[in-house]
Amino acid sequence: MREIPRPDYEYEIAHLVSAYKRAVSDILRELERLDLTDISRAQAQAALAEVARILASLNEESAAWVAANIPKAATDGVAAAIFALGVAETFEEARSIAKFNRMNRAMVDAVIADTQADLLAVTQNVERKVRAAVRQVTADSMRANMARGVNGRRTISRDILDGLRKKLGDSVNTGIVDAAGRRWRPEVYVDMVTRTKTMEAHMEATINEGVAREAFYGVISRHGATDACRNWEGKVVKLVPDAPGNYPYLGDLRGGREIFHPNCKHVVTPVRKPVE
Ligand SMILES: [Zn+2]
C-alpha cells in the first residue's frame, strides 16, 4: 500500500489567522482612541465606521483565501487517490494530472460556501458586539457626565472609565459560540474552521476520486496519536456503505467523537482490496 502524503496547510492557515489577529488589534486600537470622558455620538459613529472598514477588508481577504485554498486541498486529495492507487509514479505527477470529477466539483463548491459562511459569521459577530458595546458605552459616558455635578466630582471616576474600557475590549474578544455550544476566540475559531475545512475538502476529494476508480475501501493513517483516534490508526474502513465485508463505514465515523474530530490530522488512503 502506498501511503498518501500528509496534507499540510499550516503556513496558509497561519497567514489567515494572523490577518484576524491584526484586525482584532486594529479594532482594539480604534476603540482605545475613543475619549470616554467626553464621548460624542459623532466620534462613536466615526469609530464604528472604521471598525466596519477593517472587517470588510478582512472579509475580502478571507474570501480570497477560501477560493484559493479549498480547491488546492481538494486537488491534493484527488492527487492522493491517484498516487495511492498507482495511477501515477510520484505524488507530483499525480498532482499534475489531478482533475475534479463531477462529484468533486460539487463538493468543492459546497465546502467553499460553508467555509465562507463560517468565516463571515466571525466578522458579523464581532461587528454586532462592538456596535452594541460602543452604543452602550457612549450612553453610559454621557450619563456619567451629566451626573458628575451631583456628587461634586469634576470628571468621570477612574472606576467607571475602567469599566467602560473593559466593556469595549470584551466586545472584540467575546468570540463565537459553535453549534456544540463551545465558545472560541475569533482567531482560534478561524484556525479551527480553516484547518477542519481544508482537511474535509482533502478527504472528500480523495474518497470521491478513489470510489470513481473502484477503490471502495480505505486505510486510516498512523502518526502515533494519543487521543481517541489512536484506536483507529491502521484500520480498514469502507468508503461506500454497501461495499462487502465487515468494516465500519467511513461516513459513520466522521463527525463522531472518536476520530475525524475538529483539528484531526488523520487521513484515509484508498485501497481496492481491504488489507490491514
Ligand atoms: Zn485524529
Side-chain angles (χ1 to χ4, degrees):
M1 185 189 90
R2 275 175 161 183
E3 278 245 27
I4 65 178
R6 172 107 69 91
D8 180 2
Y9 307 110
E10 293 303 316
Y11 176 83
E12 291 83 354
I13 290 169
H15 191 81
L16 186 66
V17 167
S18 75
Y20 275 79
K21 281 188 189 155
R22 206 173 330 115
V24 163
S25 74
D26 288 351
I27 291 170
L28 282 172
R29 194 157 354 102
E30 194 58 39
L31 297 180
E32 273 157 18
R33 287 177 49 209
L34 287 172
D35 177 11
L36 299 181
T37 59
D38 187 23
I39 192 171
S40 69
R41 298 222 184 264
Q43 200 197 8
Q45 279 313 318
L48 286 177
E50 183 56 21
V51 168
R53 195 198 57 74
I54 293 166
L55 291 173
S57 121
L58 183 58
N59 285 340
E60 234 171 76
E61 188 170 350
S62 290
W65 191 98
V66 172
N69 286 286
I70 296 297
K72 178 169 180 269
T75 303
D76 289 345
V78 171
I82 292 175
F83 173 69
L85 295 171
V87 181
E89 273 318 301
T90 63
F91 183 71
E92 287 63 40
E93 189 195 332
R95 219 177 175 286
S96 74
I97 59 171
K99 276 199 206 72
F100 294 154
N101 58 27
R102 204 160 44 85
M103 275 186 295
N104 274 332
R105 265 198 304 275
M107 179 279 291
V108 167
D109 288 346
V111 176
I112 287 176
D114 270 8
T115 315
Q116 302 281 29
D118 282 352
L119 294 179
L120 210 52
V122 176
T123 51
Q124 281 169 344
N125 188 57
V126 169
E127 182 153 19
R128 196 170 49 240
K129 293 261 169 61
V130 168
R131 198 167 281 283
V134 168
R135 208 173 289 136
Q136 201 195 340
V137 163
T138 305
D140 286 354
S141 162
M142 285 175 165
R143 261 194 301 276
N145 264 321
M146 277 188 269
R148 77 194 159 175
V150 179
N151 54 28
R153 283 207 189 100
R154 271 173 308 185
T155 54
I156 303 181
S157 77
R158 191 77 254 160
D159 279 359
I160 291 180
L161 282 178
D162 288 348
L164 297 178
R165 285 257 168 257
K166 186 170 181 313
K167 238 176 237 174
L168 289 176
D170 286 351
S171 71
V172 189
N173 278 310
T174 39
I176 190 154
V177 177
D178 68 11
R182 289 168 296 208
R183 184 176 288 279
W184 305 76
R185 274 190 297 124
E187 69 272 18
V188 181
Y189 184 74
V190 167
D191 184 274
M192 184 277 290
V193 164
T194 50
R195 201 176 296 277
T196 305
K197 292 299 186 187
T198 45
M199 288 301 277
E200 181 186 337
H202 186 279
M203 182 177 290
E204 287 283 318
T206 304
I207 296 167
N208 287 338
E209 185 69 21
V211 168
R213 293 178 183 274
E214 291 170 1
F216 301 128
Y217 304 90
V219 179
I220 296 176
S221 60
R222 307 170 181 270
H223 57 251
T226 52
D227 60 6
C229 286
R230 73 179 181 275
N231 301 318
W232 290 96
E233 293 198 324
K235 289 271 160 48
V236 171
V237 292
K238 291 180 188 183
L239 302 185
V240 286
D242 50 0
N246 188 25
Y247 304 100
Y249 169 46
L250 177 60
D252 291 337
L253 296 178
R254 296 174 70 195
R257 288 176 181 280
E258 298 228 333
I259 187 166
F260 307 127
H261 47 78
N263 294 331
C264 179
K265 289 192 161 55
H266 285 94
V267 292
V268 173
T269 296
V271 291
R272 292 205 171 89
K273 288 204 179 70
V275 226
E276 307 232 358

